[in-house]
Amino acid sequence: MAIATYNKKTIRDIDVNGKRILMRVDYNVPRDENGEPTDLTRINGTLPTLHYLLKRGARVVLMSHLGRPKGQRNLKYSLANLTPYLARLLDTDVAFCDDCIGPKAEEMAAALQPGQVLLLENLRFYAEEEANDKEFAGKLAKLGEIYVNDAFGTVHRAHASIAAITEYLPAVSGLLLEKDLVMISKILGAGYRPCVAVMGGAKISDKIGVIKNLLPKVDRLLIGGAMANTFLHALGHNMGASKLSADDVELVHELLAIDIGKKIVLPEDLVVADKFDNEAQKKNVGIDEVPEGWMALDMGEKTIQTYSAIIRSAGAVIWNGPMGVFEMPNFARGTEAVALACAKSQGATIVGGGDSLAALDQVGVNYMITHVSTGGGSTLEYLEGRRLPGVDVLLDAED
Ligand code: AMP
């Protein structure tokens, strides 16, 4: 798969000593009902950049979004809870400002000493963030002298803290963003065959463009999760009460029509349940045997065998999205089997997306994956060959 090489300036290419760095991170971490983070992968991913900067006496102001507060100040989405976790990981105090712009944030940013860190409140408490508002970006820019983007999970979005802000400050990439893009290019650019993409999750319309553009580039595309239900429904199988997107039937036909190489692989059997509950009655059935009122919540045993074998004998694998309702232990088998198959694959593996990372963790195979990516949607858009607005705006490397 031909993929552009990375040619952007990073923090290594500029003098960061003693400078005030305004750094965009992606701390949009999964949380429990009390707002406590349940997985710190995304925070951990930024530690190399933070250590690099702090060791050089930089003063670091961190900004992120969390969830979808839709432009409202909703403390359910406050980043305050993350402060002690970040402080523990960095082994240093981390200050928190309950706003991301304005006099208080400016004062706190100005007071930072070399080696100190300040975390700002959720950027998306302001609608201007997602609107890529220039004025808002200008207010953010007052908090630093150099802008660093280390948020691979968000670079496919042209938001104020990602795009417009680069009109005010010299903009370079952090080490995580660089690593994600370089690793994906290296692995997929190496030409390992067969190249297998595995896609799951619920929403199909979100991923349709990706599938279309990926098809010519991969040898196999394995589909699972509720997305597979939509495909099976479109092919005329009765899916009972399964979650599917009836509105996407036409899109599915479009995809199947262009799949002349028959690269798309769909489940041959399913695990169905009589209700959406971990304790539901369940059974393994063929794709034509879903009982009325029952729903497919996982892929079946035969499908697990087929998918696992394809993944294990692949030259390169890229996986994104759960293969069933893996949050319920009784319906996590398909997703966990894919995680395990990736770990045991003879090929190079890239896994991205919050749910897939959680599954790797569940099975304990994170360290057996060639590249665990912090990106989800951004990885897919990059693979599609689309430009990433948050990367385009960074300064070009000189060579
Ligand atoms: P997405 O945000 O599109 O990646 O979808 C992730 C969600 O899809 C997870 O919360 C899964 O529980 C859900 N999901 C996967 N397979 C199914 C299924 N067969 N039925 C219902 N939900 C599913």
Side-chain angles (χ1 to χ4, degrees), residues 199-203 222-232 239 242-244 267 270 296-299 307 321-325 335:
M199 288 181 67
K203 292 164 248 124
L222 314 183
I223 294 187
M227 187 161 43
N229 295 345
T230 305
F231 272 81
L232 294 170
M239 297 306 290
S242 300
K243 180 178 173 111
L244 52 83
L270 303 158
L297 296 185
D298 199 1
M299 53 194 204
Y307 282 24
M323 310 310 279
V325 186
T335 306

Side-chain angles (χ1 to χ4, degrees), residues 22-288:
L22 180 59
M23 177 162 152
R24 177 57 156 105
V25 288
D26 178 5
Y27 287 171
N28 186 26
V29 296
R31 293 163 309 136
D32 64 17
E33 56 284 357
N34 302 317
E36 295 296 319
T38 52
D39 182 79
L40 298 177
T41 308
R42 287 181 164 172
I43 299 183
N44 273 318
T46 63
L47 294 181
T49 305
L50 286 169
H51 286 309
Y52 182 97
L53 293 171
L54 297 176
K55 230 189 258 174
R56 286 160 180 79
R59 309 148 201 256
V60 181
V61 181
L62 294 171
M63 54 181 175
S64 177
H65 72 286
L66 177 65
R68 296 195 169 141
K70 303 197 172 121
Q72 302 294 320
R73 186 176 170 83
N74 178 347
L75 291 180
K76 194 175 140 209
Y77 300 102
S78 174
L79 281 158
N81 277 0
L82 299 188
T83 316
Y85 292 88
L86 180 60
R88 208 173 312 141
L89 289 169
L90 282 173
D91 197 19
T92 185
D93 287 341
V94 173
F96 180 75
C97 178
D98 62 4
D99 205 344
C100 62
I101 52 168
K104 188 169 172 197
E106 286 169 31
E107 220 171 87
M108 289 182 80
L112 279 180
Q113 295 301 309
Q116 290 188 334
V117 182
L118 167 66
L119 175 64
L120 303 173
E121 184 54 288
N122 197 339
L123 292 159
R124 290 194 189 163
F125 283 180
Y126 291 90
E128 291 92 331
E129 161 64 358
E130 292 191 65
N132 199 20
D133 184 90
K134 261 195 182 179
E135 213 177 298
F136 177 72
K139 290 180 188 165
L140 289 172
K142 287 187 180 172
L143 306 176
E145 299 163 88
I146 295 169
Y147 170 78
V148 172
N149 190 325
D150 214 21
F152 180 56
T154 56
V155 287
H156 56 312
R157 309 269 183 234
H159 293 170
S161 66
I162 295 162
I165 189 149
T166 62
E167 295 179 31
Y168 297 92
L169 297 175
V172 299
S173 83
L175 305 178
L176 173 66
L177 174 60
E178 179 192 34
K179 181 184 174 208
D180 256 318
L181 289 166
V182 167
M183 288 301 287
I184 294 170
S185 309
K186 264 191 197 174
I187 294 171
L188 296 175
Y192 302 127
R193 310 310 289 242
C195 181
V196 175
V198 186
M199 288 181 67
K203 292 164 248 124
I204 180 167
S205 20
D206 271 19
K207 292 170 186 156
I208 195 98
V210 180
I211 298 181
K212 220 179 206 171
N213 293 322
L214 266 187
L215 266 182
K217 302 181 178 177
V218 298
D219 300 301
R220 280 299 176 79
L221 179 58
L222 314 183
I223 294 187
M227 187 161 43
N229 295 345
T230 305
F231 272 81
L232 294 170
H233 165 75
L235 287 169
H237 302 281
N238 177 6
M239 297 306 290
S242 300
K243 180 178 173 111
L244 52 83
S245 167
D247 293 345
D248 288 325
V249 163
E250 256 180 57
L251 291 177
V252 169
H253 284 298
E254 232 179 78
L255 277 179
L256 293 172
I258 58 165
D259 182 22
I260 30 179
K262 299 272 173 273
K263 294 175 177 176
I264 294 178
V265 184
L266 295 170
E268 48 200 303
D269 62 346
L270 303 158
V271 173
V272 292
D274 63 346
K275 54 181 181 220
F276 193 80
D277 189 319
N278 187 47
E279 304 309 324
Q281 256 197 79
K282 63 169 187 168
K283 53 186 172 183
N284 201 118
V285 299
I287 48 177
D288 279 320

